[in-house]
Amino acid sequence: MGLGFMIGVFGVLILSHAAYSTIQYRGLLKIMEEEFSGPPMNVVLELLLGFFFCIWAALTVPGNFLSIHPESEENRIVSLSANLDFMIFNHRAKVFPLEIDMKLKH
Amino acid sequence: MVSKTEETQLNRLENQVDNGGGGVWEYLCLVRKLNVRRSEKVLKHGLSILNDHKKRSALGHEEWTLYEQVAIAAMDCQCLDVAKDCIKVLQKKFPESKRVGRLEGMLLEAKGSWAEAEKVYSSLLEDNPLDQVVHKRKVAMAKAQGNISGAIEWLNKYLEIFMADHDAWRELAEIYVSLQMYKQAAFCYEELILSQSTVPLYHLAYADVLYTIGGLENLQTAKKYYASTIDLTGGKNTRALLGICLCTSAIAQLSKGRNKEDKESPELHTLAATALEKDYKQKAADKLGLLTSALKSLKI
């Protein structure tokens, strides 16, 4: 988790550096009185790199995804809960007393 | 409903707790959450926490829930003194409490004094005529005394008011099945499937009841419900697979005289048989011979 987190922080730093360089580039263009068509190639590459780092961190840091299928191996229902509201106490276990004598001590 | 992961977790905790490792409180919470009936273990390990003063005070205000859980487990294991002591402690802490009053009623039931328990429950119902748990305890008492028709009557009256209580529908279905009143049981299972359609075990029980009633249409519907059970459990339910095979052979026997135009394809039967053989090979290889001979004798 530490590595994913670090890569996420790194990705955010790259994105903010790309933003800063774009702003600087626009300032430069304003001085030279040219149209701003788009950021230069290296800034675009930097943007893509930061994007992939952030996506990778977002997918790995939160942990394993849980299955949503109701029939998957983890989620399938194997037994119903024992209907405890209708539990009766005069069953055959009366003739099998517990071996250890249990008492509430206090 | 207990899912596969919850079941493995429960078994793991049970082993851990039985062999002296820690995690007793976690085990008790899981038993409470899943509503399973493990009375002996709950009694043994719950008492080990309650008798130890340090562990008891570490629980804080949850010790009262533990007292209740241990009281019910003690009643189930017929250790009525333990139950009485727990209820006394709860009464001291919560006098005039309905929940403790219910526990007293249950203790009288466990002792076998039905008339006194009836009195306690009636007085609780006077104060609050819409108390669901007390109504259900009255049904359980009727069942315990052997008065099944009285239990059915009470349960039907209860369900007229509280139609959404699926535990009650399930109890009614099981009572009808025990009395062999299969059509009424089928109705109850239909209600259950309507309200909770993603629980495969209701589909399975409904298919079993339909197969028992018999008749060509019921068998075809039963086959559909066995198939939906297989769908919802990812093919891991052996009983549904066997149900498909039995249904196919029963349908084939019933429709022997009719024309073969509307004969269904035997794919489902062969697929189910293959899945069963694979399952048996994996889990009980010595019984595979029994299975193959049984399936062969079912062949159309």
Side-chain angles (χ1 to χ4, degrees):
Chain A
M1 204 219 97
L3 174 67
F5 195 60
M6 286 289 106
I7 290 192
V9 168
F10 193 51
V12 169
L13 285 176
I14 291 182
L15 283 178
S16 35
H17 179 257
Y20 183 64
S21 18
T22 313
I23 294 174
Q24 264 198 327
Y25 179 67
R26 275 190 71 190
L28 179 66
L29 285 184
K30 276 206 190 100
I31 295 176
M32 302 200 320
E33 288 177 3
E34 282 178 15
E35 282 292 320
F36 176 71
S37 57
M41 256 331 278
N42 53 348
V43 176
V44 172
L45 279 176
E46 215 179 331
L47 274 175
L48 283 175
L49 196 62
F51 174 67
F52 281 124
F53 278 167
C54 284
I55 292 272
W56 191 86
L59 287 177
T60 47
V61 164
N64 275 331
F65 286 107
L66 294 171
S67 164
I68 56 171
H69 292 296
E71 72 264 9
S72 72
E73 185 60 30
E74 308 97 48
N75 289 342
R76 64 189 174 97
I77 297 181
V78 284
S79 54
L80 292 171
S81 48
N83 226 341
L84 290 177
D85 290 328
F86 293 101
M87 175 163 63
I88 58 175
F89 300 113
N90 61 339
H91 43 69
R92 291 178 282 186
K94 261 199 246 190
V95 291
F96 296 117
L98 294 177
E99 301 102 32
I100 319 164
D101 214 14
M102 309 251 193
K103 263 196 306 221
L104 188 67
K105 299 179 190 127
H106 58 95
Chain B
M1 314 307 146
V2 183
S3 74
K4 183 84 181 140
T5 31
E6 285 166 348
E7 190 194 44
T8 37
Q9 194 184 10
L10 184 68
N11 289 334
R12 182 182 56 85
L13 275 173
E14 211 168 279
N15 278 327
Q16 184 185 352
V17 151
D18 275 338
N19 296 332
V24 180
W25 178 240
E26 213 185 313
Y27 175 66
L28 291 170
C29 286
L30 190 60
V31 167
R32 215 178 323 136
K33 176 177 138 198
L34 296 177
N35 267 335
V36 289
R37 191 169 176 170
R38 301 267 200 270
S39 303
E40 271 187 24
K41 298 205 195 289
V42 166
L43 182 61
K44 189 165 96 176
H45 300 297
L47 274 183
S48 76
I49 291 191
L50 287 178
N51 283 333
D52 184 345
H53 185 76
K54 250 190 318 187
K55 288 193 213 165
R56 203 172 10 121
S57 42
L59 293 177
H61 59 87
E62 300 202 3
E63 72 174 291
W64 312 112
T65 337
L66 184 60
Y67 271 115
E68 191 185 13
Q69 196 178 6
V70 167
I72 298 182
M75 285 187 248
D76 208 14
C77 297
Q78 287 293 317
C79 296
L80 297 175
D81 310 312
V82 177
K84 209 197 299 221
D85 292 333
C86 290
I87 295 181
K88 243 191 287 214
V89 173
L90 280 170
Q91 261 172 338
K92 231 179 9 189
K93 173 75 182 174
F94 302 107
E96 309 283 334
S97 158
K98 296 258 168 28
R99 206 160 147 180
V100 180
R102 275 205 303 258
L103 282 177
E104 280 175 27
M106 275 161 66
L107 181 61
L108 288 167
E109 261 187 72
K111 279 204 203 134
S113 2
W114 308 112
E116 301 204 9
E118 176 80 38
K119 259 191 284 200
V120 171
Y121 287 141
S122 312
S123 73
L124 283 173
L125 277 179
E126 261 173 37
D127 299 330
N128 181 8
L130 290 179
D131 191 340
Q132 290 193 3
V133 186
V134 175
H135 277 292
K136 290 200 248 194
R137 284 321 302 171
K138 291 193 87 159
V139 173
M141 219 165 50
K143 200 169 72 159
Q145 289 173 279
N147 179 8
I148 301 260
S149 43
I152 294 184
E153 205 185 297
W154 262 109
L155 199 44
N156 274 320
K157 256 196 284 200
Y158 172 76
L159 280 169
E160 270 169 39
I161 312 176
F162 299 102
M163 270 183 251
D165 188 348
H166 39 88
D167 280 339
W169 279 114
R170 189 175 137 210
E171 185 65 27
L172 188 59
E174 287 173 8
I175 293 182
Y176 277 140
V177 165
S178 75
L179 291 175
Q180 300 187 330
M181 299 161 75
Y182 293 120
K183 290 217 174 54
Q184 289 88 333
F187 178 77
C188 296
Y189 278 125
E190 282 165 10
E191 286 281 337
L192 280 172
I193 296 181
L194 261 179
S195 56
Q196 292 187 305
S197 48
T198 54
V199 177
L201 299 168
Y202 295 147
H203 294 243
L204 186 63
Y206 184 50
D208 279 341
V209 167
L210 284 177
Y211 182 75
T212 315
I213 300 179
L216 188 59
E217 270 181 32
N218 287 333
L219 284 173
Q220 285 168 336
T221 324
K223 188 167 167 183
K224 289 200 189 109
Y225 276 97
Y226 280 127
S228 82
T229 311
I230 296 181
D231 197 16
L232 286 169
T233 53
K236 296 283 170 64
N237 194 323
T238 320
R239 198 176 164 126
L241 290 165
L242 282 167
I244 293 259
C245 299
L246 287 172
C247 274
T248 323
S249 96
I251 291 176
Q253 283 204 341
L254 274 183
S255 56
K256 233 185 244 180
R258 315 201 181 177
N259 39 3
K260 306 281 185 176
E261 281 178 17
D262 40 30
K263 182 178 167 142
E264 302 162 28
S265 63
E267 266 179 20
L268 195 52
H269 177 95
T270 38
L271 280 173
T274 332
L276 271 172
E277 282 172 8
K278 202 165 73 168
D279 204 19
Y280 265 71
K281 223 183 288 199
Q282 216 178 28
K283 293 198 205 149
D286 47 347
K287 303 215 169 68
L288 185 57
L290 282 173
L291 176 75
T292 30
S293 59
L295 286 177
K296 256 196 216 96
S297 68
L298 280 180
K299 269 295 191 246
I300 307 151

